[in-house]
Structures are given as structure tokens and as C-alpha cells.
Amino acid sequence: LRSWQSGIGLAAMRVVPVEASKPLNLQGHTLVVPGCGGVAQLGELCTDALVTTYKLSRVGIVESGHLLPVAMVSAFSDPSVTITTAAELYQAAGMPLSVLQLRSAVREGRRQALAREIFGWARDEGVSTVIVLGSCSSHVKRDADLRAATELRYVSIAGTSDRSAGLSITSDEALLPLGHSVGEEELGGAADGPAAAREMLRGSGLARSLVMQAGQAAEEEASGASSPSFKPPSRVLPNLHCLLAFANEVLDWRLPEQLAKAACRHLAVESQPLVAPPSWSFALQAGMRLDPRLF
């Protein structure tokens, strides 16, 4: 059993291994987290695609006082798993990749606390890079965004890890800095940094909070003001890359595929052909509103 105390009230995040005889190890891993609660649940859909594409298995059940509890039928076709819970950790043997899938709503007023909890836990576990997958509301687009050939954007925050998935993000033509249409002078910072997220990142659910938490941690680290956590920390600050797609409530089903493929290109593992998860079919069968341009 692993737990991480956020320091707010009595809320704590616990990560319980599915097999007690197999302790969890995230040292040097890339950790993928969805911006849960964002527009059209885009982050959660893309995160499911990574689980199926890399054939990951559930290795831990995560409990947090900041998430509403939930239990549902299995999200995947694994016959050994009959129930899916609010938050679960997925891994594959011999692969430095972990996926923290979040399927429940964040309790009202707890988003910042949950982001602090997740980022602090990732740091203490020795994660090298956090990749957040999420959406950004299309209403923030400017003229340059409307003219751009891609709907995908990114925000990056450098940590102190000597390993970084995503170093090639800046050369990926399918990804543009979130604030590329605004300019650094107006933003008050880099077009791909926390200033861009503060100015433009809307409708992203947990993604914005995670970006701001990483930015604050990087500032504290640079100034020497960072404080120790509740257990001996790794003292390595993870890099964070937030990959986003402009989206509306009516989901354009090209976006999950495009964003998931972009994530696959920038993980610290060999890229694999994308495998659509069952949740995509479930969403279609449930009548999730679709973009009529697809028909």
C-alpha cells in the first residue's frame, strides 16, 4: 500500500497494488494522466487508447478523497477484471510507461488539491515525465488558430529529470504551442509555458491545474524554495508535457485518434499502431453527440 498526503484536510491518495506480492515501481517512468472533466471527455478517451495500444494491465487501484467514488463494468475486455473504479494505474512488464486513468468527477472545489496530490505522488515515486492528455475549449481560438492546419496544441514545463519523453514535441508539425497565436509579450511568458495555460487553457478539466502545479513546482525548485513532502522524496522534479486538442461539446471523432497518435509519438517507448479501445465504441453506442461533418 502506498499513500501520499496532500496536506489539505484529511484527504490522501492511496495506491493499492492489485497483487500484494508485486510492489509498484514508477522509477524513471513516463506517467500519462487525463485532464479529466474536460470538454467531451477527450483526455479520458485518449488515455484508454494508450492502455489498449500498449497492452497495459491494471496494477493498482487509486483512492483519493478528492474524487467521487464510482464502480462500473470493466472498461476493457480483460476477463480477469470485472469492475472498473474511479482511478486505476496501468503498466506493462519491462516497459517504462504508467497510465493513471481517472473516470470519476473531481469533488467540487478540489481540482487544485487533486492536481497537487497527483503531481506530488508522481515526484515522490521517481516519475521522469508526466504527459497530460486533454481538451481546450474552441472558443479561445484566435485568427492564427483558425488558419492553422492542426487542432493540436501543447504546453511544456521542464523539470530536473535527466530523462524526458517529448523532447521532440517542438519539432512535431502536428503540434503547435498553445499560445502561438498570442505572442509572448501579451502572454507575459513563453507561448508553450504556464503563461499560455493561464491565459488560454479553458474547458480542460484537471489539465490546467496540473500544468499550473508543475509550473509552480518548477519556480520553487529554481528558487530553492521547494519543501520536502511527507515521505523521503526523489528530489527529481518530473518534466510535464500537456498535449491538447481544441474541442467542442459535439465531439469530432477525428480528435481522439489524432491526439492519441500524437501521444504515442512522444512516449519514452517504441511507438505502436493505435488500437481503438472499447470505450470509443461504448460512447458511440450510448449516443454521444457527434460532429455531423463526419457523415
Side-chain angles (χ1 to χ4, degrees):
L1 176 68
R2 294 169 183 247
S3 64
W4 196 91
Q5 185 78 23
S6 70
I8 296 183
L10 297 176
M13 190 169 91
R14 300 193 307 158
V15 184
V16 184
V18 171
E19 297 185 40
S21 61
K22 295 182 178 180
L24 300 177
N25 180 19
L26 284 79
Q27 188 71 37
H29 278 216
T30 296
L31 175 66
V32 179
V33 184
C36 67
V39 174
Q41 294 80 48
L42 183 58
E44 295 93 313
L45 291 169
C46 293
T47 301
D48 272 350
L50 297 189
V51 173
T52 54
T53 297
Y54 290 97
K55 299 180 174 61
L56 306 182
S57 299
R58 187 174 70 176
V59 296
I61 296 175
V62 183
E63 299 175 359
S64 171
H66 303 310
L67 283 170
L68 293 174
V70 68
M72 62 187 77
V73 296
S74 175
F76 301 102
S77 56
D78 185 350
S80 66
V81 178
T82 57
I83 295 294
T84 292
T85 61
E88 299 175 328
L89 185 68
Y90 294 83
Q91 293 180 338
M95 188 180 296
L97 173 65
S98 296
V99 170
L100 175 61
Q101 177 61 297
L102 306 174
R103 300 186 186 280
S104 176
V106 181
R107 291 183 185 274
E108 186 175 356
R110 301 289 185 87
R111 190 174 288 168
Q112 297 293 334
L114 179 61
R116 186 160 45 247
E117 194 171 65
I118 290 174
F119 194 78
W121 167 75
R123 180 176 187 174
D124 284 349
E125 292 296 330
V127 168
S128 65
T129 301
V130 177
I131 292 184
V132 182
L133 301 179
S135 53
C136 182
S137 176
S138 293
H139 84 273
V140 304
K141 282 185 175 181
R142 300 201 178 191
D143 289 345
D145 291 308
L146 296 172
R147 294 192 299 267
T150 176
E151 298 292 322
L152 304 186
R153 301 293 185 268
Y154 74 90
V155 174
S156 288
I157 298 171
T160 57
S161 172
D162 59 359
R163 294 183 57 194
S164 176
L167 285 176
S168 59
I169 283 178
T170 55
S171 61
D172 190 333
E173 295 182 354
L175 292 166
L176 295 174
L178 178 60
H180 82 102
S181 61
V182 180
E184 294 186 2
E185 184 175 347
E186 181 179 345
L187 287 175
D192 63 352
R198 189 180 303 110
E199 178 70 21
M200 298 191 66
L201 193 47
R202 301 291 183 271
S204 65
L206 187 64
R208 186 176 189 271
S209 298
L210 284 167
V211 169
M212 302 314 296
Q213 177 61 33
Q216 179 182 339
E219 290 180 3
E220 292 176 351
E221 188 76 21
S223 66
S226 58
S227 59
S229 56
F230 289 89
K231 72 176 188 177
S234 68
R235 307 318 304 157
V236 174
L237 185 67
N239 308 290
L240 183 139
H241 306 292
C242 183
L243 308 186
L244 305 155
F246 282 123
N248 298 302
E249 292 296 338
V250 179
L251 180 62
D252 180 341
W253 275 90
R254 292 170 293 191
L255 295 179
E257 180 178 0
Q258 292 170 3
L259 186 58
K261 285 183 174 179
C264 289
R265 291 195 297 272
H266 299 290
L267 296 174
V269 295
E270 183 179 352
S271 183
Q272 299 288 336
L274 188 70
V275 177
S279 59
W280 292 15
S281 298
F282 295 160
L284 287 167
Q285 293 170 7
M288 179 180 281
R289 291 181 295 171
L290 304 177
D291 189 328
R293 292 177 299 175
L294 297 179
F295 302 94

